[in-house]
Amino acid sequence: TSIRLAAQHADGYFPNSGSSEQLAVSCQGVQREAPAGKRPLLALYATVNVGPAAAPAQQELEQFIERYYGAPYAAISKRQGCVAGSADACANWLNAFIVQGVEHLVLRLASQDQATQFQRVVRDLLPRLRERRP
């Protein structure tokens, strides 16, 4: 399986995961399959929209995903991590992954206005993320 291959041969594990619970299961598998003394780096790819109001942020996220994939948001969000809302709401969601062992985040910005979204992520979201401690 991909989990066994990642655990035994890769330096890291970089899944798409719709929830921190899904990630926990696959991360446990990676750690279980890893050779003694090896612990692959854990990363997460997630799509975010940080907005001043939850409903418009969610709507923009859903439109972005549906245009990008040409598929319903409900189907895509089950397989991929997506979050929209206030900086606090997005941070809470991402922090659940960090608690599971994620050390690196790759964030895709779900917005037509990438510059504003980037500013919100840097200014409002990143300071709210937990620092993972060994």
Side-chain angles (χ1 to χ4, degrees):
T1 69
S2 62
I3 289 175
R4 183 178 301 118
L5 289 171
Q8 294 176 355
H9 302 288
D11 293 327
Y13 183 59
F14 187 37
N16 280 333
S17 185
S19 72
S20 59
E21 293 82 12
Q22 287 175 344
L23 180 79
V25 170
S26 61
C27 288
Q28 289 167 3
V30 167
Q31 291 166 350
R32 186 175 48 252
E33 296 286 339
K38 181 178 179 189
R39 186 182 162 279
L41 175 83
L42 300 175
L44 175 73
Y45 175 77
T47 304
V48 301
N49 184 296
V50 179
Q58 183 66 35
Q59 182 179 19
E60 186 174 27
L61 171 75
E62 290 180 17
Q63 289 172 348
F64 180 91
I65 292 293
E66 289 178 352
R67 275 193 311 268
Y68 188 86
Y69 289 103
Y73 172 78
I76 300 299
S77 65
K78 289 179 184 174
R79 296 187 309 257
Q80 292 189 12
C82 300
V83 65
S86 69
D88 282 333
C90 293
N92 289 339
W93 188 83
L94 289 165
N95 281 327
F97 289 92
I98 293 169
V99 167
Q100 295 295 342
V102 166
E103 299 168 89
H104 294 277
L105 297 171
V106 175
L107 302 178
R108 174 173 58 173
L109 309 180
S111 176
Q112 293 299 314
D113 184 354
Q114 292 283 298
T116 298
Q117 195 60 213
F118 184 75
Q119 289 172 349
R120 289 178 185 161
V121 166
V122 171
R123 181 189 64 224
D124 303 329
L125 175 61
L126 295 183
R128 289 173 167 80
L129 297 180
R130 294 175 57 139
E131 183 177 330
R132 186 173 181 282
R133 305 233 187 250

